[in-house]
Structure formats: structure tokens, C-alpha cells
Amino acid sequence: MTTAQVQDLARERFDVVIVGSGVAGGRVAMDLSEAGARCLVLEAGEEVRSEEMPVGEADMIARLYWNGGLELSRKGSIVFTRGRCVGGGSVVNQALMDRLGAEVLSRWRRESGVSWLEDGSIAEDYAQAESAMSIREISPARFNGNVSRVSEAFDALGMPWRPLRRAETEACDGQDCMECLGGCTRESKQSSRVTTLRRAQAHGAIVVARCMVDAIETEPRGVRLRARRDGQALSFSADRVVLAAGAIGSTSLLLKSGFGRGRPRLGEGFHCHPQFMTSAVVDDLVDAHRGAFQGATADGPGGPEPRFKFETSFVPPIVFHTLFDRVGAGVHRLATTYRRRLGIEICLRDTEPGRLRLRRGGRVEFQKELGAGDRAAKAEASEILREVYANLGAREAEFSPRAFSVHPMGGCALSDSPTRGVVDGDFRVHGAPDVYVADSSLFPSAPGRNPSLTVMALAARAGRALLTHSGATVAGKTA
Amino acid sequence: MNGASPSRFLRPHQLSALTRVGDVCIPGDDASPSFGARGCVRHVDRVLHHITAGDRTALQALLSVLWLCPAPVHRALLRSAARSFDRRGPLAPLLRQIDYGLRGLVLTLYFADG
């Protein structure tokens, strides 16, 4: 899109401007544009066409992630990675699709006071989210050597496990590209780029890439967004804005825009599912990098809301060395063991919330570190994995001390009360009825499950709420 | 370009420091070249282009200091940075940033050819 074309858009008035084009933004854009709304989607990252997705690990990380893939918590104990491109997190995530159980939804109901979280109606939202993409369970026939071995060890140790569900097509079958940590050149991974956003564009939604929104101003009727693109200041106006830039992007935009005044919970309640990679070596070939390398999951102890879970996983060399502190000769030795390595990831359900704050200059600060409970949970999980690796006859078991997060959540928590949260049960910021939020920043706490599908379900519900408020209909259904 | 440097972002002495730190992180062996021998710093702008100006400034300052230091200091710094994840104390946050920022950059550049 040329500068002149974008300047023309700045002279129009839209029904809705959507900030962010990922998991949530794509869904909202699709629902609203299919219902006839004039939608503009603003995305900070660049548009990368499928056939041009970077396939080398270094370029994937540098081009497709915020700040070159390197955003640290204030004390450096957790590294955050999040997508920055058209399609956002849906381009770089693992596309694992979990529905939340009744226990989590009940907890969220208690924390937020929002009644629909527990009345069963979210099942329809999940169904709508699932209907927009191809989702496949990773069947045992498709397990790679890592998933099959680890799941056998889970069985031998009496650990219940289940195959993961993934948003992908059959184009993944038989591949060993490991492109999933970046974009997918085959369009197998069901990112918003190839699903919801594509449908939205077919119904008239306009996507502007490389457009960074700096501020939202509410007006007597509608909203105005101040933005920058290629060094040029821009201003867009609309009846409503939907924030779908993820927990970090949406929360920091509201903070920058002064919405923290009178909303004491803005930026609070930040969670992130800290994760740790583990690995060990066996004598025969494993090829953990092949196919759907995240194929099976098992919960830690603790009933329906465990403090941690395990997922079979694997990482390419740069990430491997970074997480496992490889220097010197160890870097070269990896090449001799890479195909014989097992990999399992520990994912914590963090219960000690952090917060997001703005530093001078407008940069977001992650005030979120590992707590004592997180360290204890990681130690317990590591002991269990020592048994798993021992059961498999593995040696050189390694447990990375470096926590990373791919699930930022919270900061604009749902709540029926402005003193306990930021966004009401109709997805509107308390006191700002034309400002909607539709992404993982809404989560009242950490669910302990992969969040993408829940974000899509909430976004579908947010879209319906917005249409109801504007007196419109969606997909032939009275809103 | 930055003076006579082949990098837009790093001056020649900073590139030299990065190469020396890289050789501490990834020395060569019989089968594989070292960081310096592989000429990895030629990729540095591909990576630094995507990080914030503030982080680039911090990296430039760190490399300027490291340029003045001998290899044993580089080795000790990297070792302390790696251990900082299991430790607390006022220096731990800074050392963790150095671990990700410096060692992470070296690893990224070493494997930047794919």
C-alpha cells in the first residue's frame, strides 16, 4: 500500500478500526466485515507473503518478532517473544488449540464477576472459532520419534497424556522444516493471514502494515487514533476501536493514551506461563524436529488445575544454544547429538501476577519475574522429567534455567467492576464505551492451557457484542 | 556506514570486540570454524536492524568497553552471565541482559547462514 493510499484512508471515517492483525484481530475483522462493517486493520509489523516467509532461524527471529525476539522482564528472568508482522502471534505460534475446562472458566467467573464465563455459552464461541480453520489432532500415526518415545514413557510411569490439537492442514505431513517457529511457507499453519484475515479482506476490510498506533483519543462520537507509518504521522477516525494487539500491545497502548487515570487495574494482573526447555540424548535416532514436533501433552499433579504441564517440543540450534548455555566446544557437539535428542517443555501456570508499566520514552516494562511458587513448580516438574528421561534410557539430561514466554496474558482484565478490572463483560473499557478489547489482555489470570483458541473465542464474542451495540447483525444471525 | 566500518551500526573497534567475544563463545575445532573464522560479523546489520535504538546503543557501549578488555575478562563475564539465572543480587539482572544480548547475538550470527 502506498503512502498516498494510506493518506486517503486517513481522510475516511470507518465503522471500526482494529489494532492488531493476529489471533484476535483477524477474527474480529472477519466477523465485522462479513456483517457489512467498514473495517480498517492497523498492524505494526510488516506484511510478509507466504512464499517470502524467512526460513532461516536467524531471519525468522529478527524479522517476525518484536525487538528481534529479545524482550526481557525487568530483572531479566523471563524472555518474552511475540510476533510482529501481519498475522501477529498466529504466524509465529505453534497453533495449539485448547479449550479451557470448566474449572478455569469457573475461576475466571469468580475473579471477574462476568457471568457468561460460566453459563456454558462460551462453547458456542469456541465452535465458531474452530469453524474458521482446519484443526487436526496429532494422531499417533504422525508422532515423530520424540513424541512416540515420550508418550510411551508417560504411559510407563502412569502419567495420563493426550495428543495435542493443532491448527494446520495436511500440507504439514511428512515435513521436517521446523518453520513453525516463524512463518509457514506452505500455508499449512492456520494463521489469521490465511484464514480469518483473508476472509475479512475478501469482504472489504483494509489492512495497513507497518503502522504503529501511538495513542487513542476518545471523542464525543467515536475515536481518533494517532499513528506513524514509515516516519509519517497519521490520524484515523472511526465510530469504534477494537484493541487486538495482544496483552502487551493493547495494554501499553491504553497506558500511553492515558487510560490509566481512573482505571487502577490497567497493566495489573499480567501473567505469561513461564516455560523451560529440557533435553536428553539417547543412542538411536529420534529426529525430534520432524513433523508436528509438539504432539503430546501431560499434566503435572494437582487435579484439574495443575501448576504445570509438559509438552513434547524441540527447538532449532540458535534457540537451543541460547536456552542451554552452550559456549565453547559444546556448540559444535550439538551437531553430533541433534538427531538423537529428546525434547520436553515445562509450562508453568503462574499464579503470582506481574504488571506492565511504561518507561520513559514509552517503552513497555515487564514487571514480571519468576516467583517462589514458580521456582518450586519448576523443580517439581524437573524431578518428574528426570524419571521420564531415565525411563527412556536417556543420558545428559539438561534443564534450561532460562524461562521464556510465548503466552503474555492480562493487563486489561475482564471484570464487571472498574475497581477489579479494566474491560466490562461486553468487551468495552470501563468508562470508554467506544473502546473495545478482544485479546489475551482480557484474561483475569493464567489458564494453564494454550490460549490461542480462547482468544479467538473471546474475539468472536467481542465482535458480536460490538455489532449488538451498533444494532447490526452478523452472518445472518440476529446479534 | 559508520566511518570505515562495514556495519551501519557498529564501529570497527566494536566489531573487533564482537569477534573476540564470539571466539570465546564459539572457538573452532577440527570440524567447525570459529566465530571469527566464519566471518559472522558480516551479518550483524541484518540482526541489529530489527532491535530498538536503545538496545543498539547499550550494545555499542558494552562492546566499546569489552574492546579494552582481554579474553580472560570476556570469558569471566560470559561465565558470570550464564550463572546469573540461578542467582539473585543487584548484578544478576544486568548479567542476564548481557547473557541474552551478547551470547544470543553471537549464536544468531554464527547460524545466520542457515
Side-chain angles (χ1 to χ4, degrees):
Chain A
M1 187 170 286
T2 65
T3 301
Q5 287 172 316
V6 176
Q7 286 171 333
D8 285 344
L9 294 174
R11 282 189 276 274
E12 287 189 45
R13 183 174 178 93
F14 290 86
D15 294 323
V16 184
V17 172
I18 299 157
V19 182
S21 64
V23 173
R27 178 74 216 191
V28 173
M30 181 184 84
D31 286 342
L32 299 186
S33 54
E34 287 186 349
R38 176 97 169 123
C39 294
L40 176 68
V41 180
L42 302 178
E43 165 58 49
E46 63 178 312
E47 164 77 71
V48 184
R49 290 189 299 185
S50 298
E51 63 274 22
E52 294 172 350
M53 285 288 174
V55 292
E57 189 186 0
D59 289 316
M60 273 183 202
I61 295 169
R63 280 187 69 187
L64 301 180
Y65 289 82
W66 276 87
N67 200 22
L70 192 63
E71 293 184 301
L72 292 178
S73 60
R74 185 172 59 169
K75 294 184 179 175
S77 69
I78 305 172
V79 63
F80 295 88
T81 58
R82 53 184 176 128
R84 180 180 180 158
C85 55
V86 171
S90 71
V91 170
V92 299
N93 69 10
Q94 274 298 299
L96 300 173
M97 297 293 144
D98 291 343
R99 287 190 180 204
L100 300 187
E103 293 79 8
V104 179
L105 293 169
S106 178
R107 167 160 56 86
W108 279 9
R109 161 76 170 87
R110 290 194 304 276
E111 290 164 343
S112 70
V114 174
S115 58
W116 54 256
L117 283 164
E118 210 177 3
D119 67 7
S121 61
I122 200 168
E124 186 189 341
D125 304 325
Y126 275 126
Q128 279 193 13
E130 289 163 344
S131 70
M133 59 195 161
S134 163
I135 298 180
R136 302 194 306 166
E137 187 172 278
I138 311 299
S139 66
R142 294 173 55 217
F143 284 179
N144 67 24
N146 184 48
V147 183
S148 55
R149 281 171 178 78
V150 172
S151 56
E152 285 168 17
F154 286 159
D155 281 336
L157 295 170
M159 295 169 61
W161 62 274
R162 60 186 181 280
L164 286 160
R165 292 198 312 156
R166 196 155 184 270
E168 60 170 20
T169 70
E170 64 281 358
C172 273
D173 294 352
Q175 303 293 346
D176 59 0
C177 58
M178 281 197 93
E179 286 177 14
C180 308
L181 296 169
C184 176
T185 56
R186 297 182 185 84
E187 297 196 350
S188 172
K189 183 157 68 172
Q190 299 288 277
S191 72
S192 65
R193 281 187 67 255
V194 301
T195 55
T196 50
L197 205 57
R198 191 170 280 178
R199 276 173 58 178
Q201 289 175 289
H203 284 80
I206 298 168
V207 179
V208 179
R210 304 194 313 281
C211 188
M212 182 73 191
V213 179
D214 291 321
I216 300 168
E217 298 165 4
T218 56
E219 298 182 329
R221 286 195 59 216
V223 292
R224 179 162 294 280
L225 285 81
R226 306 286 177 191
R228 279 172 293 132
R229 186 173 188 268
D230 299 339
Q232 184 180 43
L234 294 161
S235 170
F236 299 97
S237 68
D239 292 347
R240 295 177 172 86
V241 61
V242 178
L243 300 187
I248 298 163
S250 293
T251 303
S252 58
L253 178 54
L254 287 174
L255 286 167
K256 281 184 211 171
S257 305
F259 281 71
R261 284 188 292 276
R263 297 178 185 86
R265 298 296 299 169
L266 182 60
E268 302 290 328
F270 180 68
H271 293 77
C272 69
H273 288 165
Q275 295 175 51
F276 298 89
M277 192 63 202
T278 76
S279 183
V281 178
V282 291
D283 289 330
D284 49 344
L285 285 183
V286 175
D287 283 339
H289 61 289
R290 288 217 163 130
F293 51 91
Q294 287 198 272
T297 184
D299 286 343
E305 291 223 69
R307 279 287 273 118
F308 54 84
K309 64 173 179 169
F310 306 107
E311 283 178 358
T312 58
S313 189
F314 209 59
V315 289
I318 294 173
V319 177
F320 189 97
H321 290 306
T322 303
L323 293 177
F324 285 104
D325 185 28
R326 283 292 200 287
V327 291
V331 173
H332 302 308
R333 271 203 301 274
L334 176 66
T336 66
T337 60
Y338 196 71
R339 296 186 64 193
R340 292 183 286 115
R341 281 195 168 272
L342 304 164
I344 308 172
E345 174 188 294
I346 298 167
C347 177
L348 305 183
R349 178 173 64 81
D350 47 330
T351 56
E352 296 157 84
R355 62 171 65 88
L356 297 172
R357 285 286 179 265
L358 289 184
R359 281 169 30 186
R360 228 177 304 168
R363 188 167 176 180
V364 67
E365 179 174 81
F366 305 78
Q367 296 182 4
K368 167 74 179 170
E369 310 295 340
L370 294 176
D374 297 325
R375 294 178 195 281
K378 191 223 172 185
E380 184 184 356
S382 299
E383 283 309 305
I384 293 171
L385 289 189
R386 283 185 208 286
E387 289 183 46
V388 170
Y389 284 133
N391 180 274
L392 291 167
R395 60 184 188 280
E396 300 176 39
E398 296 177 85
F399 298 81
S400 169
R402 293 165 176 78
F404 63 96
S405 166
V406 293
H407 297 167
M409 302 166 288
C412 303
L414 270 176
S415 177
D416 61 358
S417 159
T419 60
R420 289 194 303 163
V422 177
V423 176
D424 67 22
D426 282 338
F427 299 91
R428 296 187 286 202
V429 171
H430 283 289
D434 295 326
V435 181
Y436 290 69
V437 180
D439 56 31
S440 65
S441 62
L442 297 166
F443 287 15
S445 56
R449 299 288 174 219
N450 292 302
S452 284
L453 188 64
T454 300
V455 173
M456 292 180 207
L458 293 178
R461 195 175 190 105
R464 284 206 312 278
L466 189 152
L467 288 166
T468 301
H469 301 149
S470 59
T473 59
V474 56
K477 185 192 315 177
T478 302
Chain B
M1 288 294 177
N2 197 343
S5 173
S7 167
R8 282 168 56 210
F9 302 117
L10 297 182
R11 299 171 69 88
H13 73 284
Q14 294 162 339
L15 287 171
S16 168
L18 180 59
T19 302
R20 287 163 56 208
V21 170
D23 281 343
V24 170
C25 284
I26 311 178
D29 63 14
D30 292 343
S32 304
S34 68
F35 180 87
R38 197 162 176 174
C40 297
V41 292
R42 71 183 184 279
H43 301 298
V44 76
D45 283 8
R46 264 167 69 190
V47 176
L48 297 191
H49 173 72
H50 295 281
I51 69 172
T52 66
D55 284 352
R56 275 198 299 268
T57 302
L59 177 69
Q60 289 160 349
L62 176 64
L63 290 172
S64 291
V65 172
L66 292 176
W67 181 67
L68 300 170
C69 303
V73 173
H74 297 168
R75 208 167 283 120
L77 177 67
L78 290 167
R79 203 162 37 232
S80 297
R83 289 176 183 158
S84 65
F85 291 87
D86 296 323
R87 294 183 181 176
R88 297 181 190 181
L91 284 180
L94 177 63
L95 289 168
R96 290 175 196 144
Q97 287 181 29
I98 289 173
D99 180 85
Y100 279 118
L102 199 56
R103 203 172 55 85
L105 176 62
V106 165
L107 289 165
T108 300
L109 296 176
Y110 191 75
F111 292 99
D113 283 332

